[in-house]
Structures are given as structure tokens and as C-alpha cells.
């Protein structure tokens, strides 16, 4: 019943989003995006109260025997991990939209349908991950090693490895399946051309975003499984992070350069949860310890990024100096 009610809640939220709040395509301002970002973060933290209540009842299974406080803290920790790892996703989404010249007022529609697909794929990956980690405990070490490898790869990756959507395998494969046109027709995903029905840049962007989300989930799902293997906490924290991704994208889209050092926070978080998985038999880190480390890492990354951005702005030559 709890799962059914949760899915019903997500469905209602999405229906209100597309059918009421964003019924008419429009350019989402930074002010509007910041308001919705604040709302999503607030709702997500309030839901930790629901988690606290649920795990004190018999309404939901508690396979890992979590306390009410432990369950609430694990939800918040998992939510912050997923939210922080979404930042890299935001960078890629911005590149995809720029590459296909998606008009700003139609970007929300692409992200809306992208979220529906993300919910399905994340659900499947989480189910598979929980089953594997509970049945084969040695996979904990495998996931831990993979997260450390991912963190190292992020640390030593070069700028020239930037993602080019039109050179991607997904774009080339899609072009073999259905004709692709560079023409736009408002918010349509398909239009009729002289050669028949063709996919518009909106549809192509949607498919590439979906595939990229699956690739990012390969990192994020093991990361949250390092915090807990409780299915409901893992899934609900993922969903709340995904639901808030659109507003966070529009909030950060024009300020991505200001948060360039946030990547080091993500590296620290991935390394931390990777080591936590590898050393779980020898070292026990309490829920509040994990939450504190992740919160401090994110805060440090944001503050340092803003500080460096301010320094760069102050040292820019004025027009008179030029």
C-alpha cells in the first residue's frame, strides 16, 4: 500500500507539473527556478519526516531493521548524494540542449518526459542492485572499487574529453532507425517531411538525455547502496532527487561556470562512499557521520566555487583598461 501511494503521489506531482504549472510552454526564469528548487528541497526534507513515521509502524517492510532516526538520516543522506551527483548530469544536459539548439521555452517539456523515463530505468536498476547486493554480499566490494575508480577517473580526466552529442553512438544509431531533421515545430517530437515522418531535435535530445541518465545511474545507484540497501529509502530518495532536477537545471543553467569546483566535492563523496563499502566489515560509520561528511563536502565545493568566481570577476580587466 505504501508503494502504491508513493507512486500515486509521484503521478499526481507530474500531472500537476505538466497540466497546471507548465501547461503553456514558457522560458523559466532564474527567479522561478530558484523558487521551485527551494520548494523541492523543502518537500524532500519534509518527506524524511514521513520516513521517520513509516519506520515506526508496520505499514512497510524494514529488511535492514533500521531505527526511525536511522531511516530518516539515511533518506536525507541518500537524497543529498543523488542531488550532488545530478550536478554532472546538469552539465551534460546543458551541452545537449546547446548542441541541438533547443529553444529555452521547450526545454522543460524535454526534461519532463526525460524524468518519466528516468523513474522507470532507475527503478529497474535499483531493484537489480538491491537484489544483487543482498544475495551476493561480495558485490559490495565490487561496487566500492567501482566508485573509487569513477572518482579517480573524474579527478584525472582532461578537458578535451568533453561530450559531443552529435558524435555520440546514440545519435548515430538513432539516425539509422528514424530520419532526423534539424527543423523545429514548436514542442513536437516528430514532424512530417518530404521523406516521411522525422524526429525533431527535441526528440533526439530526449533520447540522448535518457541514455546519459542511465549511464549516470551506474555511478549513483551503487553510491546510495553504500548508505543503505533498504529498497524504499533507496528508491524514494532517488525519485525526489530526479523530480527536483529540472528546477535545479534551470536554476544553475546560467551559472554553471560559477560552480566549476563542485566537481571536487563529487569526487570526495564518491571516494568516501567507495571506501565505506570496502571497509564496511571493519569500520562502522554512523548515519550522522556520513550525512555530515556529504553536507560539508557539498558546502565546501559551493563556497569555494563562488569564492573563485568572485576573484575572477574582480580581476577581469575593465573596458577602459582594455
Amino acid at each position: 500500500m505504501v508503494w502504491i501511494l508513493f507512486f500515486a503521489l509521484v503521478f499526481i506531482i507530474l500531472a500537476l507539473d505538466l497540466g497546471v504549472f507548465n501547461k503553456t510552454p514558457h522560458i523559466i526564469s532564474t527567479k522561478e527556478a530558484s523558487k521551485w528548487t527551494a520548494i523541492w528541497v523543502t518537500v524532500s526534507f519534509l518527506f524524511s519526516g514521513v520516513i521517520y513515521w513509516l519506520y515506526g509502524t508496520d505499514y512497510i517492510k524494514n529488511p535492514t531493521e533500521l531505527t526511525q532516526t536511522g531511516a530518516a538520516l539515511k533518506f536525507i543522506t541518500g537524497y543529498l548524494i543523488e542531488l550532488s551527483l545530478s550536478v554532472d548530469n546538469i552539465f551534460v544536459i546543458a551541452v545537449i540542449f546547446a548542441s541541438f539548439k533547443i529553444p529555452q521555452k521547450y526545454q522543460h517539456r524535454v526534461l519532463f518526459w526525460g524524468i518519466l523515463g528516468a523513474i522507470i530505468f532507475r527503478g529497474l536498476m535499483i531493484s537489480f542492485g538491491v537484489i544483487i547486493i543482498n544475495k551476493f554480499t561480495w558485490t559490495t566490494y565490487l561496487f566500492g572499487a567501482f566508485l573509487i575508480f569513477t572518482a579517480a577517473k573524474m579527478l584525472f580526466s582532461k578537458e578535451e574529453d568533453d561530450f559531443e552529442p552529435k558524435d555520440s553512438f546514440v545519435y548515430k544509431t538513432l539516425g539509422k532507425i528514424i530520419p532526423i531533421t534539424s527543423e523545429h515545430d514548436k514542442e513536437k517530437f516528430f514532424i512530417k517531411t518530404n521523406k516521411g515522418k522525422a524526429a525533431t531535435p527535441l526528440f533526439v535530445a530526449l533520447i540522448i538525455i535518457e541514455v546519459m541518465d542511465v549511464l549516470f545511474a551506474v555511478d549513483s545507484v551503487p553510491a546510495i547502496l553504500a548508505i543503505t540497501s533498504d529498497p524504499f529509502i533507496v528508491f524514494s530518495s532517488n525519485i525526489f532527487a530526479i523530480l527536483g532536477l529540472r528546477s535545479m537545471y534551470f536554476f544553475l543553467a546560467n551559472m554553471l561556470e560559477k560552480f566549476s569546483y563542485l566537481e571536487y566535492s563529487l569526487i570526495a563523496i564518491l571516494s568516501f562512499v567507495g571506501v565505506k563499502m570496502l571497509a564496511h566489515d571493519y569500520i562502522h560509520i554512523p548515519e550522522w557521520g556520513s550525512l555530515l561528511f556529504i553536507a560539508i563536502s557539498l558546502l565546501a565545493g559551493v563556497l569555494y566555487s563562488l569564492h573563485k568566481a568572485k576573484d575572477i570577476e574582480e580581476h577581469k580587466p575593465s573596458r577602459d583598461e582594455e
Side-chain angles (χ1 to χ4, degrees):
M1 182 58 70
V2 170
W3 282 92
I4 292 171
L5 290 174
F6 182 75
F7 280 116
L9 174 65
V10 172
F11 176 79
I12 290 170
I13 289 171
L14 291 174
L16 287 172
D17 190 332
L18 191 65
V20 179
F21 299 116
N22 292 284
K23 188 176 182 179
T24 304
H26 65 285
I27 296 175
I28 297 178
S29 65
T30 302
K31 182 180 179 181
E32 182 182 352
S34 61
K35 179 187 74 174
W36 278 106
T37 300
I39 289 173
W40 278 117
V41 172
T42 302
V43 169
S44 300
F45 274 85
L46 288 175
F47 192 77
S48 67
V50 176
I51 293 289
Y52 179 89
W53 171 75
L54 271 177
Y55 282 76
T57 69
D58 295 325
Y59 296 138
I60 193 167
K61 290 181 179 180
N62 188 358
T64 53
E65 298 180 352
L66 294 171
T67 63
Q68 288 178 275
T69 303
L73 288 175
K74 284 183 182 295
F75 171 83
I76 295 172
T77 305
Y79 171 72
L80 288 179
I81 286 178
E82 295 304 317
L83 202 63
S84 61
L85 293 177
S86 294
V87 174
D88 259 6
N89 212 345
I90 288 174
F91 278 87
V92 172
I93 290 171
V95 171
I96 294 170
F97 282 156
S99 179
F100 293 104
K101 298 177 182 179
I102 306 297
Q104 282 186 311
K105 65 178 181 179
Y106 300 133
Q107 290 178 2
H108 181 276
R109 176 176 170 82
V110 175
L111 291 178
F112 174 86
W113 291 107
I115 279 173
L116 283 181
I119 289 173
I120 295 170
F121 287 122
R122 290 290 179 99
L124 293 172
M125 294 182 74
I126 287 168
S127 300
F128 181 73
V130 169
I131 291 170
I132 289 295
I133 208 166
N134 285 330
K135 193 164 185 177
F136 306 103
T137 54
W138 56 268
T139 54
T140 302
Y141 300 105
L142 189 64
F143 285 157
F146 175 73
L147 291 176
I148 293 174
F149 168 76
T150 303
K153 188 178 178 182
M154 288 176 65
L155 182 62
F156 297 109
S157 63
K158 298 178 180 179
E159 290 184 4
E160 54 263 30
D161 295 333
D162 289 341
F163 175 63
E164 293 291 342
K166 290 185 179 180
D167 294 333
S168 67
F169 173 77
V170 181
Y171 179 79
K172 293 175 181 177
T173 303
L174 189 62
K176 295 176 182 177
I177 298 172
I178 186 172
I180 296 174
T181 178
S182 59
E183 295 178 23
H184 291 270
D185 186 3
K186 297 181 180 179
E187 55 185 9
K188 292 181 179 179
F189 287 131
F190 298 94
I191 59 173
K192 290 183 178 179
T193 65
N194 295 331
K195 296 180 181 179
K197 185 177 285 189
T200 66
L202 265 72
F203 182 76
V204 178
L206 171 63
I207 297 301
I208 295 178
I209 287 172
E210 289 284 15
V211 174
M212 294 307 299
D213 182 75
V214 171
L215 295 178
F216 278 109
V218 173
D219 295 335
S220 65
V221 171
I224 195 171
L225 288 175
I227 302 302
T228 179
S229 58
D230 183 285
F232 187 73
I233 292 178
V234 174
F235 185 74
S236 58
S237 59
N238 251 272
I239 297 307
F240 272 100
I242 291 172
L243 289 174
L245 179 61
R246 286 161 305 159
S247 57
M248 193 166 72
Y249 166 77
F250 291 110
F251 176 60
L252 295 176
N254 298 322
M255 301 184 290
L256 290 177
E257 290 183 3
K258 290 185 178 181
F259 294 94
S260 56
Y261 288 90
L262 195 58
E263 184 174 5
Y264 293 101
S265 296
L266 308 186
I267 292 170
I269 291 170
L270 285 174
S271 301
F272 171 76
V273 294
V275 170
K276 187 172 185 284
M277 292 186 94
L278 290 175
H280 75 281
D281 285 334
Y282 312 100
I283 303 172
H284 173 69
I285 300 175
E287 287 83 4
W288 63 264
S290 298
L291 179 58
L292 185 64
F293 179 88
I294 291 164
I296 290 174
S297 297
L298 286 173
L299 184 62
V302 169
L303 293 178
Y304 189 70
S305 294
L306 293 175
H307 171 71
K308 293 298 289 185
K310 186 179 179 182
D311 280 351
I312 292 171
E313 195 66 33
E314 288 176 352
H315 288 87
K316 270 186 179 179
S318 64
R319 290 186 178 179
D320 293 336
E321 292 174 333
E322 290 175 349

